Amino acid sequence: MSDVEVRVLGPLEVWVDGCAVRIGSRKQRLLLAALAVQDNRPVGTDALTELLWAAGEVPPSVRVTLRSLVSRLRSALGPAGDRLAPRGGGYVLTVDPAAIDAVRFERGLARGREQLAAGHAAAAVGTLRDALALWRGPAHAELDGHGFARAPAHRLEEARASAVEDLVDAELRAGLTADALDRAEGQVLAHPLRERAWGQLMLARYRCGRQADALAAYRTVHALLRDELAVAPTPALVELQARILRQDPLLAADGGPGPADHAAVPDLPTAPTPLVGRSAVLAELAGLLAGTRLLTLTGVAGVGKTRVALQLATDAAPAHDGGVRLVELAPLDRAAGDGTVLGEVATALGVATAGAGTPAAIVQRIAGRLGDRPLLLVVDNCEHVVGAVARAVEALRRRCPRLTVLATSREPLGLAGEVTRVVPPLSLPAPDAVAVADLAGSDAAVLFRQRARAAAADFELDAGTAAAVARICRRLDGIPLALELAAARMRVLSAEQVAARLDDRFTLLTAGHRTASPRQRTLRGAIEWSHDLLSVDEQVVLRRLAVFAAGFDLDAAAAVAGDGGDAGRVAELVSRLVDKSVVSTRRRRGEVRFVLLETVRGFAAERLSDAGEVGSVRARHRAHYVGSAREQRRVWGAGWDSALWHRRVAAEEENFRAAVASALADGDHDGALLLLSGLWVHWAWAAGRAEAVGWLQAVVDGPGTDAVARCECVVGLAVLLRWWEVGDPERSVRLFVRAAELAEEADDDACRFWVRYFHAEFRMLRGDRDGARAGYLDALRWAVPRSSAGWCSYSFGWLAMGAGDAAAARAEFARAVDLSGDDDLVRPHALAALAPLLAGADPAEASAVAGRALASARDFPLPGVHVMALVRAAQTYVLCGEDDIARDVVAELLDLQHRLGNLQFRAETFEVVSVLAARSGDHRVAARLLGAGGAVRAARTEDDAGVRVLGDVVAATRRSMLAGLGPEAYGREAAAGAAVPVPDLVAEVRAARLRR
């Protein structure tokens, strides 16, 4: 693999194998700079889009444009192009940390400080000079203050300033006074408010025999601080001035005590284990801490707020010359008042409180000790005395102008100027993670592995344990405390046994460290602590929210957790639960949704059962989701074809499924009918649900009275049996006949349309094109919304394709687009079908339509629609000769098919990849894929002759392979491809990617 070096301490530079790489366009440089900021972590496409294009200038097919930009950047990187790859819904640049100048600088700085602390001043001078020589200009200059680069850039610039001062200190101690003087002069010019640098300048001038100039420097900084900040110099600087005035002999000796000796040394406990997975969080928090006087870290119990705060304070210590102090409030009783809390602060600061009989007197003593010293005060575990802490912090902030407070609490302090940030759980493996490679990028998996190895030296994260570890991490929500407790069980259990026992997690996870506080020794103790701090009303709402199987909105919360009264009261209580870190929030498409982590939900469910409310609350939950389906029916009518409905189901699918199961269990047959009449349409194009066919069978034969919903469910059962190739096709025929009778009984035109339309689809798949055409024409008579007519035009287009009439097909697909709105599911289908048919006459228009199809498909949270649009887009780009873009689209397609286990359009996928492989010269790969595609088509039970968009291109590729390999070799490779199981072949092609 090629050696890659990335330089971000100045204008962006990339060196590959010792040679500088020329990155051409401004957007390519911005893209590369953005990826370089993230230290081998992926950057999402949304963040990259915001960086690369101004508002109003985002191209309509932005993801395709971005893939093209990435493709060109890979080419520019030459042999190192494979370091840039798609991952996690974005892109990542993988580089050895030691090959990034910023990392080398920070390591050099740490090493120089260690040498200086050990008394090796001369060695520290060399180390720090080398580290500072890596700088060529402002950090991450290419990004020019863009949001997600601001915090890392600020952190590096602050470290650079501290490194200069460390070097001055080392030079003074090594006797290099002239060098120290020159450097200190430059530092006070660059950073006129850094008192440490002024103290170093005073000392260097004094040692050079310039006592008057040293005192003049003090007068300058004194006036500067007074005029700019309205503060006086620190006591240490005042003391240095006094020592210069009296010509203290210790100041003249090389290595004697100088102003650097009062630099902030954190008075913090040393962590017994490394902090895992918090570099991005710490980078963001460092920027926030530098710009505020009160930063509060909140988060769910066990998420690691204290560990993050202590690491943040340690990192920030150089910027707080007055020191860093920790106040631990966990041992305090909940009844502790203002005086008790202030007494803990005074103790941490070494301030005597004897005789200070009131909180105001304690504040006065603390303020007298601190003065205007720049001190960082870490106040840990505030939630049980939050009122007293808020009053103490407010009083101290007023009296101590340079005091910064970093608090941890399960709820904010609620003070003016307070900045709050939620400490998130550790990143999780993907839901389908089963292999070691699937755990890459999961900090939760890293932590579990480390702690499991500490508990059981023979534990290995390998093919035999990866799937169980992934389940453990996800079911424990990435909460560090829970993961550590689970890892401790690895002494006596296997990973699979731990995963299997998580239904009883509160009994299992009880093996905490003896030295931990009682509430941190067990998972139940941690959650119970938070629960007991809630008011009675908050506890009632929390336990009722446990009935939600997934996220929910405020309307759902009011319907389920309220008592039929004021919905605003429930909203207020949910907001309080969010503030107290027992309910989490998620934002998507501008909507706020609320989530209970599985661990919190399990605890709340116990409380719901203890209260005897399970049945009544479950009935409210079901009634709410049945009501949602009824409202959608009222607005839209039968068909469930809108993007709004599919987005609602995607967001609430687990709740809808729970409502169906509840309806069937409790005998609410009409509720189950109505829910399933809308859900089957979503499942047909989403990932599918194994229980869907059984549920539909149960309701179509049940006693429900909703005739329209029953008709739709019968249609759904017929369609899913056919699409998912379950059972005898003749059963679907009988179901369509029954559905037609039900549509007449219901006297519903929308039902009449969908019965006829899907029955016609069924006929077309069986090769009965005349019957299909008659069915579509019959359905068209009942097409009330324009989108229904659009579906008919779409299907007429495929009939024309089957007849070899491409012109008629183009016209029908274009008509389907015209008849559809942005909210109609037919739109992405019609655009995707139209795009490849335009390639021959107008490649530019074809590419544009393919981009519109992809954008339209992404408006629907339906993976099957995404797969369809990606297949058609890839075919279009192949026909247009845009092979690089086609490869990027295919890479996304293969990843999606792998993630979903989705084998739809697999023959079309293999054919596209075979054409691209042949064009790249991979003849054997192309032959294998042609064989696989042919085998898949041969196994199909439906007639697909009309949808072979690449028919001519595939035939030409096959002829080329026969000529290039010879009939015998081609036949051998094609047979080998046909013999490989389809999922294995998808995985093989995905792993190999496509050569350019």
Side-chain angles (χ1 to χ4, degrees), residues 465-532:
T465 59
V469 170
R471 293 204 307 279
I472 291 168
C473 293
R474 291 194 64 82
R475 293 207 59 196
L476 294 179
D477 306 301
I479 298 175
L481 173 63
L483 292 168
E484 292 184 346
L485 293 172
R489 289 299 186 187
M490 296 296 291
R491 297 187 185 95
V492 293
L493 298 174
S494 68
E496 189 64 44
Q497 288 172 321
V498 171
R501 285 167 167 76
L502 288 181
D503 284 339
D504 191 17
R505 68 189 63 198
F506 296 115
T507 300
L508 176 70
L509 305 183
T510 57
H513 297 293
R514 291 187 179 92
T515 57
S517 66
R519 62 188 175 84
Q520 293 291 322
R521 291 178 194 163
T522 69
L523 186 61
R524 180 182 296 280
I527 303 299
E528 203 161 46
W529 168 264
S530 291
H531 177 267
D532 291 350

Side-chain angles (χ1 to χ4, degrees), residues 30-31 33-38 41 43-44 46-52 140 143 145-153 283:
L30 278 175
L31 173 60
L35 298 174
V37 170
Q38 293 302 307
R41 296 186 304 274
V43 181
D46 290 343
L48 291 174
T49 299
E50 183 178 348
L51 170 68
L52 295 170
H140 300 297
L143 294 173
H146 280 282
F148 65 90
R150 195 172 296 123

Side-chain angles (χ1 to χ4, degrees), residues 727-786:
D728 180 7
E730 293 305 314
R731 185 182 177 196
S732 291
V733 174
R734 294 191 295 274
L735 287 168
F736 280 124
V737 171
R738 182 183 174 190
E741 295 169 352
L742 289 170
E744 295 307 316
E745 290 178 17
D747 192 22
D748 186 273
D749 289 350
C751 282
R752 291 183 177 105
F753 171 80
W754 289 113
V755 169
R756 286 161 172 77
Y757 179 80
F758 280 116
H759 196 180
E761 285 281 286
F762 177 80
R763 289 176 177 135
M764 185 166 71
L765 289 174
R766 301 187 82 183
D768 180 9
R769 296 179 188 171
D770 291 339
R773 178 175 295 279
Y776 293 136
L777 288 170
D778 190 17
L780 196 56
R781 295 189 302 122
W782 306 100
V784 178
R786 286 168 55 86

Side-chain angles (χ1 to χ4, degrees), residues 698-734:
V699 296
V700 299
D701 293 334
T705 59
D706 187 332
V708 172
R710 185 185 300 280
C711 176
E712 291 176 329
C713 286
V714 172
V715 171
L717 182 58
V719 170
L720 294 187
L721 288 173
R722 183 57 182 149
W723 283 11
W724 294 351
E725 298 181 357
V726 178
D728 180 7
E730 293 305 314
R731 185 182 177 196
S732 291
V733 174
R734 294 191 295 274

Side-chain angles (χ1 to χ4, degrees), residues 268-286:
L268 302 173
T270 302
T273 55
L275 184 61
V276 173
R278 296 302 194 186
S279 56
V281 171
L282 286 169
E284 179 195 5
L285 294 176

Side-chain angles (χ1 to χ4, degrees), residues 25 220 251 302 601 626 672 832 866 897 911:
S25 72
T220 300
L251 291 182
R601 185 186 302 116
V626 170
H866 299 174
Q897 289 177 322
E911 288 170 353

Side-chain angles (χ1 to χ4, degrees), residues 341-368:
V341 169
L342 284 164
E344 293 295 318
V345 175
T347 299
L349 296 173
V351 175
T353 58
T358 65
I362 299 175
V363 169
Q364 184 173 358
R365 290 194 182 184
I366 293 173

Side-chain angles (χ1 to χ4, degrees), residues 486-836:
R489 289 299 186 187
M490 296 296 291
R491 297 187 185 95
V492 293
L493 298 174
S494 68
E496 189 64 44
Q497 288 172 321
V498 171
R501 285 167 167 76
L502 288 181
D503 284 339
D504 191 17
R505 68 189 63 198
F506 296 115
T507 300
L508 176 70
L509 305 183
T510 57
H513 297 293
R514 291 187 179 92
T515 57
S517 66
R519 62 188 175 84
Q520 293 291 322
R521 291 178 194 163
T522 69
L523 186 61
R524 180 182 296 280
I527 303 299
E528 203 161 46
W529 168 264
S530 291
H531 177 267
D532 291 350
L533 293 175
L534 303 177
S535 70
V536 172
D537 286 348
E538 290 164 351
Q539 290 177 355
V540 170
V541 169
L542 177 63
R543 73 176 182 240
R544 291 175 179 175
L545 295 179
V547 76
F548 287 103
F552 53 90
D553 58 20
L554 283 177
D555 288 341
V560 172
D563 288 313
D566 183 9
R569 174 62 175 162
V570 175
E572 178 188 349
L573 291 168
V574 171
S575 178
R576 287 188 202 168
L577 292 173
V578 171
D579 287 342
K580 295 182 178 182
S581 303
V582 289
V583 173
S584 304
T585 59
R586 303 284 187 272
R587 292 180 184 273
R588 189 168 185 272
R589 290 180 176 267
E591 180 188 12
V592 177
R593 295 186 59 75
F594 302 90
V595 179
L596 265 63
L597 297 181
E598 185 175 342
T599 298
V600 176
R601 185 186 302 116
F603 182 90
E606 289 183 357
R607 293 297 189 270
L608 185 67
S609 178
D610 293 344
E613 293 184 331
V614 173
S616 61
V617 174
R618 187 172 71 176
R620 293 182 193 176
H621 177 272
R622 178 175 71 248
H624 174 72
Y625 287 98
V626 170
S628 295
R630 185 173 291 113
E631 177 63 13
Q632 173 70 12
R633 162 71 59 72
R634 185 188 68 78
V635 173
W636 192 260
W640 312 92
D641 198 24
S642 72
L644 179 65
W645 171 248
H646 288 291
R647 284 196 288 270
R648 179 71 189 274
V649 174
E652 301 264 24
E653 183 170 356
E654 297 306 315
N655 285 316
F656 275 112
R657 292 178 63 242
V660 172
S662 168
L664 290 172
D666 294 349
D668 181 3
H669 299 287
D670 279 334
L673 273 170
L674 183 57
L675 288 167
L676 287 168
S677 67
L679 291 173
W680 79 261
V681 183
H682 182 83
W683 289 335
W685 280 107
R689 286 292 178 180
E691 66 268 42
V693 169
W695 279 348
L696 284 167
Q697 185 63 65
V699 296
V700 299
D701 293 334
T705 59
D706 187 332
V708 172
R710 185 185 300 280
C711 176
E712 291 176 329
C713 286
V714 172
V715 171
L717 182 58
V719 170
L720 294 187
L721 288 173
R722 183 57 182 149
W723 283 11
W724 294 351
E725 298 181 357
V726 178
D728 180 7
E730 293 305 314
R731 185 182 177 196
S732 291
V733 174
R734 294 191 295 274
L735 287 168
F736 280 124
V737 171
R738 182 183 174 190
E741 295 169 352
L742 289 170
E744 295 307 316
E745 290 178 17
D747 192 22
D748 186 273
D749 289 350
C751 282
R752 291 183 177 105
F753 171 80
W754 289 113
V755 169
R756 286 161 172 77
Y757 179 80
F758 280 116
H759 196 180
E761 285 281 286
F762 177 80
R763 289 176 177 135
M764 185 166 71
L765 289 174
R766 301 187 82 183
D768 180 9
R769 296 179 188 171
D770 291 339
R773 178 175 295 279
Y776 293 136
L777 288 170
D778 190 17
L780 196 56
R781 295 189 302 122
W782 306 100
V784 178
R786 286 168 55 86
S787 62
S788 296
W791 279 115
C792 290
S793 290
Y794 172 75
S795 296
F796 285 140
W798 286 116
L799 283 173
M801 285 288 289
D805 190 346
R810 280 195 299 272
E812 291 291 355
F813 292 144
R815 185 176 298 110
V817 172
D818 291 340
L819 289 169
S820 66
D822 291 338
D823 199 43
D824 298 327
L825 185 56
V826 68
R827 190 173 189 82
H829 285 79
L831 286 167
L834 177 61

